[in-house]
Amino acid sequence: LSSLESKDPILDKLQHGFPTPFLELPHERTTMWHESLGSLQAARLVHRALQEPSDPSTLSAPSWEYWLSRAESDPDLYEAFDSPSSRTLMLPNYRHAVFDLTDPRIEEGLRISLLAIEQMNQLAAHHGLQFAVAMIPTKEYAYVPFWNEATKPASERIRHLTDLEATVWRRAMAHLDERHIRHIDVSTALRQSIGSGDQPYPISWDGHPNALGQSVYAVAIANAVRSLLRQSSRHAEIVQ
């Protein structure tokens, strides 16, 4: 793994699939803040924006026409999803770098991640706590069922990427099921939101959910936790 990393760094692959220079325009920095709901990344951008003088007239959020023009000007980097009810940009090359299980570093990363989850579950059980894993998809994976509604069909690289992510999901959930570790699939709630005409992600290339998407996360996880607590309470009553 060390030899492979020295010859072909993962970071290079990620940078190849990511917009550069990173958020060079002031209004893109502002959009990240408004649509990412206070993520660490957005906080860093705001900090940087405060240090750089900007023309206030440029700080309005860019329109979809702006983002679509970005996608059309750099089709190797972006993929545009555009339907009557939802629209957003995707970064398939960037995502591919971390889902390609033919890369032994990604395979090892998945193994270590699942092992860490096992250990967290064991630690929680040791202290008498319940444990559950929230399974959160990429934006690209959340939109899989809706490409037939888009103005352009999914490209081969989008289909390949989402097939890779589906494989990771299946392996992860099978691993959790075999070890009786509870998991919460947030993708179902996100897809219900998209299917109802909502926009849970920014229209930009940012893969983080917006305020609406964060609320979808919260409701899905809260409902699942309540269900787990009810099951635990019934089990305790039976044991008593």
Side-chain angles (χ1 to χ4, degrees):
L1 295 180
S2 298
S3 175
L4 177 59
E5 181 63 17
S6 65
K7 294 178 181 177
D8 184 21
I10 283 285
L11 183 58
D12 287 353
K13 291 186 175 183
L14 293 174
Q15 290 176 338
H16 177 71
F18 205 74
T20 55
F22 178 50
L23 295 182
E24 61 182 354
L25 300 177
H27 60 239
E28 291 190 32
R29 294 198 294 266
T30 304
T31 299
M32 284 287 291
W33 168 249
H34 285 305
E35 296 182 334
S36 293
L37 195 64
S39 67
L40 177 60
Q41 186 179 34
R44 287 172 176 164
L45 293 173
V46 170
H47 176 71
R48 191 175 74 183
L50 290 173
Q51 295 177 322
E52 298 175 4
S54 301
D55 179 355
S57 66
T58 68
L59 295 180
S60 58
S63 67
W64 172 242
E65 287 69 26
Y66 166 81
W67 291 114
L68 191 57
S69 69
R70 286 286 297 269
E72 292 171 347
S73 67
D74 196 347
D76 290 337
L77 183 64
Y78 303 102
E79 187 102 14
F81 176 92
D82 190 4
S83 77
S85 59
S86 188
R87 47 188 47 166
T88 190
L89 292 193
M90 299 180 182
L91 299 174
N93 295 339
Y94 174 72
R95 299 294 184 193
H96 183 274
V98 295
F99 283 110
D100 183 9
L101 292 175
T102 63
D103 187 322
R105 294 166 295 182
I106 305 303
E107 179 71 44
E108 179 66 0
L110 178 59
R111 185 192 70 81
I112 293 172
S113 297
L114 294 175
L115 179 60
I117 289 172
E118 282 185 55
Q119 294 174 344
M120 285 186 275
N121 183 58
Q122 293 167 0
L123 183 62
H126 176 74
H127 290 283
L129 302 173
Q130 295 194 61
F131 180 83
V133 179
M135 304 285 289
I136 297 176
T138 64
K139 175 167 66 173
E140 289 78 2
Y141 193 60
Y143 273 89
V144 165
F146 306 102
W147 276 99
N148 61 336
E149 303 171 7
T151 54
K152 294 182 179 179
S155 66
E156 177 59 32
R157 64 177 179 170
I158 281 286
R159 292 195 296 270
H160 179 59
L161 167 66
T162 52
D163 285 346
L164 292 177
E165 185 167 355
T167 298
V168 171
W169 271 68
R170 286 193 297 269
R171 283 186 50 181
M173 288 193 284
H175 184 93
L176 298 177
D177 288 339
E178 289 169 3
R179 289 153 182 79
H180 307 289
I181 299 176
R182 300 181 179 95
H183 49 83
I184 303 165
D185 183 355
V186 179
S187 66
T188 300
L190 282 169
R191 287 171 175 173
Q192 289 173 346
S193 176
I194 296 169
S196 67
D198 293 335
Q199 179 80 36
Y201 289 96
I203 61 174
S204 69
W205 51 260
D206 183 12
H208 299 87
N210 55 24
L212 174 61
Q214 295 283 4
S215 69
V216 171
Y217 280 18
V219 171
I221 293 172
N223 288 341
V225 169
R226 290 191 190 99
S227 177
L228 292 174
L229 291 175
R230 285 194 296 268
Q231 293 173 17
S232 177
S233 177
R234 287 195 294 269
H235 177 73
E237 291 174 358
I238 293 172
V239 171
Q240 292 175 358

